[in-house]
Amino acid sequence: MISGCSSLASKDSSTTGTSSNQGQADCQSLSNLFSKSNNNFESIRFRPSYKYKITLWESRYQLIENSCQIWQWGDKYSYVCNKAYPDQETAHQVYEQAQTFINQCLGENPHGWYEKQGLLEERGEETQYLLEDQVRGTLRKQSTPGFFKDSWSVYFWIDSTSLLR
């Protein structure tokens, strides 16, 4: 379900080696993902498609398998993953796997990183990842009501530093 928790790798390269080597490579990829926000994710975005006033770019990195893109509004960029699941249990598993992976990686390289967790008024939960008191990434699990059937979704996003100003 989550490619990022087992291998956050670019679409055009694969990670090989033992699981401990993969863990290090995965954390490096996540670190790179956060750092790529400084240059609007330029090196990981490709193949733009234009939708009204937004440009959607494919992303070389997939934290949540087959669900991540770069969204562009003018000169503002965000790395966004979103995927719907049929039930709360499945979404919760994906959320916890992603949270564990991110926490493991940030724990290896703290340098001012910390997390803040909270509930979303009966709709789910959220973990924010902060650097020097600025939210740099957010992981969210929430109920997504539908017309015929409700589902649960998991979201992860990182805003480019231009959105933090």
Side-chain angles (χ1 to χ4, degrees), residues 17 26 34 45 62 86 88 128 140:
D26 293 346
F34 276 101
R45 59 182 158 96
Q62 298 291 312
Q88 183 177 4
Q128 295 180 328
R140 179 179 285 180

Side-chain angles (χ1 to χ4, degrees), residues 3 51 55-56 66 75 93 118 154:
S3 65
K51 311 281 185 198
T55 303
L56 300 175
N66 298 322
D75 64 345
Q93 287 176 342
V154 177

Side-chain angles (χ1 to χ4, degrees), residues 118-126 140-143 145 152:
L119 297 176
L120 302 171
E121 298 183 23
E122 300 180 33
R123 294 181 30 217
E125 57 188 299
E126 172 179 272
R140 179 179 285 180
K141 173 192 73 174
Q142 72 181 58
S143 171
W152 282 78

Side-chain angles (χ1 to χ4, degrees), residues 48-76:
S49 62
Y50 306 97
K51 311 281 185 198
Y52 307 104
K53 295 184 179 189
I54 186 173
T55 303
L56 300 175
W57 298 80
E58 290 186 37
S59 174
R60 298 187 196 289
Y61 295 107
Q62 298 291 312
L63 180 68
I64 301 171
E65 186 176 20
N66 298 322
S67 68
C68 304
Q69 302 172 313
I70 310 298
W71 295 12
Q72 176 188 355
W73 302 269
D75 64 345
K76 311 293 186 210

Side-chain angles (χ1 to χ4, degrees), residues 3-4 7-13 15 25-26 28-36 41 43-46 57-70 79-81 156:
S3 65
S7 68
L8 179 65
S10 71
K11 285 184 176 179
D12 55 359
S13 67
T15 306
D26 293 346
Q28 182 60 46
S29 295
L30 181 65
S31 176
N32 286 339
L33 182 58
F34 276 101
S35 68
K36 300 298 182 201
F41 308 99
S43 65
I44 63 169
R45 59 182 158 96
F46 67 103
W57 298 80
E58 290 186 37
S59 174
R60 298 187 196 289
Y61 295 107
Q62 298 291 312
L63 180 68
I64 301 171
E65 186 176 20
N66 298 322
S67 68
C68 304
Q69 302 172 313
I70 310 298
Y79 173 86
V80 179
C81 305
F156 178 74

